[in-house]
Amino acid sequence: MAWPHVTCFGISSALAITAAVMVVTRRNAVHAALWLAVALVSTGVLYLTLSAQFLAVLQVIIYAGAIVVLFLFVVMLLNVNEDQATDRRRWLAVVGLALALVWGAGTALLLLAGPPAGTGLVVRTPGDVALRGTAEELARAVFEHHALAFELVSLILLAAMAGVIALARRTPRGAEEIPGKRGSP
Amino acid sequence: MNPVLLAIIKAAVVVFFNLNLVALMVYLERKLVGRIQHRVGPNRAGPFGLLQPMADIVKLILKEDVTPRGADRWIYGLAPILAATLAFIGYAPIPFGPPGWQVADINVGLLYMLMISSLTVYGVMLGGWASNSKYSLLGALRSSAQMISYELGLAGAVVAVVMVSGTLDLRSIVDDFQAQGGLGWLPGWNIASPLLWPSFIVFSICAYAELNRVPFDLPEAEGELGAGFHTEYSSGRFAMFFMAEYAGLATMSALAVTLYFGGWSGLGWFDLDRLPAWLGWYSTIAPTVIFFTKQMVFMVGAIWVRATLPRMRYDQLMNLGWKVLIPVATANLVALALFEAASQRWF
């Protein structure tokens, strides 16, 4: 990688890690969600420095543009205050830390030793990613090689959507229909 | 020349141009809406009130910058900056002339535009929440629901163009028109294909909703919400929201021109090489002039719509988005896919 790429990579990875730490330490739910958006966008920039433009743009559209917006929406709608938002159970932090350590050690091992033989994992160079990360290549992979898996995943999503609608439409027993409630958000 | 330096210069020129366009649009909007409503519009500052935008800017900057008590200071300051920045960087992948006349030639330019448009909701949402005011919060919640809903329709409409052109690169989409050639005296723009008409209609309606313009300006419904998400903003911060709205309009108009109306290509009725030698410089800038003329048509159209249509009710807005526009966009996609498949098989 040329030096501007390396610099960019360094800055955005540092930002992603800082933001990720901020997400779990902020008391204010809106601040935490915003730091999550920062972490996700920085990850998108990381993809960009690895010349996977398509992946980078999708990362921002889906995570920062849709999912975090939804988080923020719910947080604002419910008006969560700081006491409710904080979980004070200590053991949760311990479990989280342990999981993070195991995950980090695994990643470090993988990076230091290279991918284990026979697992199908390969290390890609940025040039390689640029060839394989285009919209055309991705579409070919999804709609030709993995068409069945893709259709199955979309069926599962459809089932989830149907379930949500069924849950939302069910009026609790004894509850009266409030005029004008249906249809207005 | 150093490519990084060149990109910075191009970006600076485009931002400078767009900033001036904002001032012009503010004047034009007030003057045209006045005209349509049988009023005079601004006519005191300078000839025909032309200096009105200057006066507005001075007024806005000299006003007191108020931060409400209990506001989240950081986010309150961040929101207008975010809104203005996103509105201006959206213009980067738009090709406003032959190769080279573009800030950033991104091979997923169209997705980049959708990305920026999906991020603009942050400015509105955070501004409304951080103000610590119920009207602002209500405006912010309404507008985020609106913008998320209409984003789907917008993306669905744009995918139709991608299916016809077979690329996500905005420059290639424009080149694709020119390769098609026209039908008789009609230019071969995408809008010439009837299969793209529903897509264009859905795109236009969704674009107005994304920009929070009349008839979809519910986030700032004066009668119900004060001024919506920017009720508490004043001075320079309000000016940034204001600028973001017009810059967003410029970007959306430019996108509409690029996707459906041939970008920088002309009607092809006149061969620029036949210009006399002393006008030769004109053939260099002609494509850009053509592009901005088309863009201005869309922007003036938006002003016209604003002066004509009343604001929609919130439930009507949601019904239109989810029950009309998204199904229409989807049906259009299915029809296009069938047509493409059939044309590959039989024609």
Side-chain angles (χ1 to χ4, degrees):
Chain A
M1 283 195 281
W3 70 265
H5 285 87
V6 176
T7 320
C8 230
F9 190 91
I11 294 174
S12 43
S13 21
L15 193 60
I17 293 170
T18 319
V21 171
M22 295 301 256
V23 174
V24 288
T25 51
R26 292 307 91 187
R27 287 267 164 105
N28 186 321
V30 171
H31 290 183
L34 275 182
W35 279 111
L36 183 60
V38 173
L40 293 167
V41 172
S42 332
T43 318
V45 178
L46 283 183
Y47 293 147
L48 211 55
T49 57
L50 297 171
S51 43
Q53 296 188 346
F54 184 67
L55 196 60
V57 172
L58 280 192
Q59 160 92 9
V60 178
I61 292 182
I62 293 170
Y63 289 101
I67 292 181
V68 176
V69 171
L70 212 63
F71 285 179
L72 277 174
F73 191 78
V74 173
V75 170
M76 287 178 188
L77 204 63
L78 298 180
N79 208 1
V80 186
N81 59 34
E82 295 187 9
D83 295 331
Q84 288 170 324
T86 336
D87 197 325
R88 295 192 189 281
R89 281 170 290 185
R90 276 285 161 77
W91 61 270
L92 270 174
V94 177
V95 171
L97 203 63
L99 278 176
L101 277 177
V102 170
W103 174 258
T107 316
L109 265 179
L110 197 64
L111 282 176
L112 291 175
T119 49
L121 287 174
V122 268
V123 176
R124 298 238 181 265
T125 59
D128 200 15
V129 174
L131 283 181
R132 292 170 162 272
T134 59
E136 289 88 350
E137 281 298 319
L138 207 71
R140 205 153 284 143
V142 169
F143 295 114
E144 281 179 11
H145 301 304
H146 305 291
L148 182 66
F150 177 77
E151 293 297 332
L152 284 177
V153 168
S154 60
L155 258 183
I156 294 171
L157 284 177
L158 190 66
M161 252 162 76
V164 168
I165 292 170
L167 279 177
R169 281 185 74 94
R170 195 174 60 187
T171 32
R173 200 171 301 157
E176 281 179 43
E177 188 84 8
I178 301 162
K181 195 183 180 194
R182 184 170 291 169
S184 68
Chain B
M1 198 194 246
N2 186 342
V4 177
L5 191 65
L6 186 67
I8 292 174
I9 293 174
K10 276 185 192 169
V13 170
V14 168
V15 169
F16 176 77
F17 187 87
N18 271 332
L19 276 170
N20 283 292
L21 193 63
V22 168
L24 177 74
M25 284 306 292
V26 173
Y27 169 76
L28 207 60
E29 174 140 28
R30 295 178 66 176
K31 206 75 184 167
L32 272 176
V33 172
R35 191 86 196 149
I36 291 168
Q37 297 172 345
H38 286 258
R39 293 185 285 114
V40 187
N43 67 341
R44 293 300 153 108
F48 308 107
L50 268 170
L51 294 178
Q52 188 65 42
M54 295 288 178
D56 280 344
I57 292 167
V58 171
K59 180 194 80 176
L60 278 171
I61 290 175
L62 291 182
K63 270 190 168 179
E64 187 190 355
D65 188 3
V66 184
T67 307
R69 197 194 306 160
D72 192 312
R73 286 183 168 274
W74 275 94
I75 297 182
Y76 187 77
L78 179 75
I81 297 175
L82 208 60
T85 313
L86 285 170
F88 282 106
I89 63 175
Y91 212 90
I94 299 274
F96 49 84
W101 293 69
Q102 188 178 19
V103 177
D105 194 353
I106 312 173
N107 67 10
V108 285
L110 190 51
L111 280 179
Y112 173 89
M113 305 284 300
L114 289 179
M115 172 181 95
I116 298 295
S117 124
S118 76
L119 290 179
T120 45
V121 67
Y122 276 99
V124 172
M125 218 173 173
L126 296 177
W129 177 78
S131 300
N132 191 30
S133 143
K134 62 183 119 180
Y135 292 119
S136 301
L137 184 64
L138 284 172
L141 285 177
R142 265 190 183 191
S143 76
S144 30
Q146 170 183 340
M147 287 162 100
I148 294 168
S149 309
Y150 278 76
E151 233 167 70
L152 295 172
L154 191 79
V158 161
V159 171
V161 179
V162 176
M163 279 177 75
V164 170
S165 304
T167 174
L168 291 167
D169 182 9
L170 290 172
R171 180 164 293 286
S172 310
I173 289 176
V174 175
D175 290 343
D176 185 52
F177 297 140
Q178 294 175 338
Q180 282 168 12
L183 300 160
W185 51 272
L186 281 174
W189 299 343
N190 263 347
I191 197 71
S193 155
L195 279 169
L196 281 178
W197 290 351
S199 149
F200 174 64
I201 293 167
V202 172
F203 176 88
S204 323
I205 298 176
C206 291
Y208 283 119
E210 276 288 295
L211 296 168
N212 294 330
R213 281 197 61 97
V214 177
F216 306 110
D217 62 336
L218 285 127
E220 40 186 307
E222 307 95 308
E224 307 154 24
L225 291 173
F229 66 94
H230 58 54
T231 308
E232 305 294 340
Y233 279 91
S234 57
S235 186
R237 288 175 177 169
F238 172 75
M240 277 196 259
F241 274 126
F242 203 60
M243 267 182 351
E245 195 179 319
Y246 285 95
L249 177 62
T251 309
M252 273 296 176
S253 309
L255 185 62
V257 169
T258 309
L259 291 182
Y260 298 96
F261 289 86
W264 46 273
S265 66
L267 287 166
W269 295 349
F270 181 77
D271 189 5
L272 282 172
D273 294 336
R274 280 174 28 215
L275 281 174
W278 59 276
L279 269 176
W281 55 270
Y282 182 71
S283 59
T284 322
I285 61 160
T288 309
V289 172
I290 290 169
F291 185 87
F292 284 114
T293 312
K294 289 181 189 172
Q295 185 186 322
M296 281 313 285
V297 170
F298 274 91
M299 295 178 75
V300 171
I303 296 176
W304 196 346
V305 167
R306 180 205 150 157
T308 310
L309 295 178
R311 180 183 299 131
M312 288 182 95
R313 221 171 50 213
Y314 191 72
D315 58 321
Q316 294 172 328
L317 171 97
M318 281 299 171
N319 280 343
L320 179 70
W322 287 99
K323 295 184 184 164
V324 180
L325 293 179
I326 294 173
V328 166
T330 316
N332 186 24
L333 275 185
V334 173
L336 255 177
L338 287 176
F339 179 78
E340 291 275 324
S343 65
Q344 272 174 20
R345 203 179 169 97
W346 291 304
F347 308 138

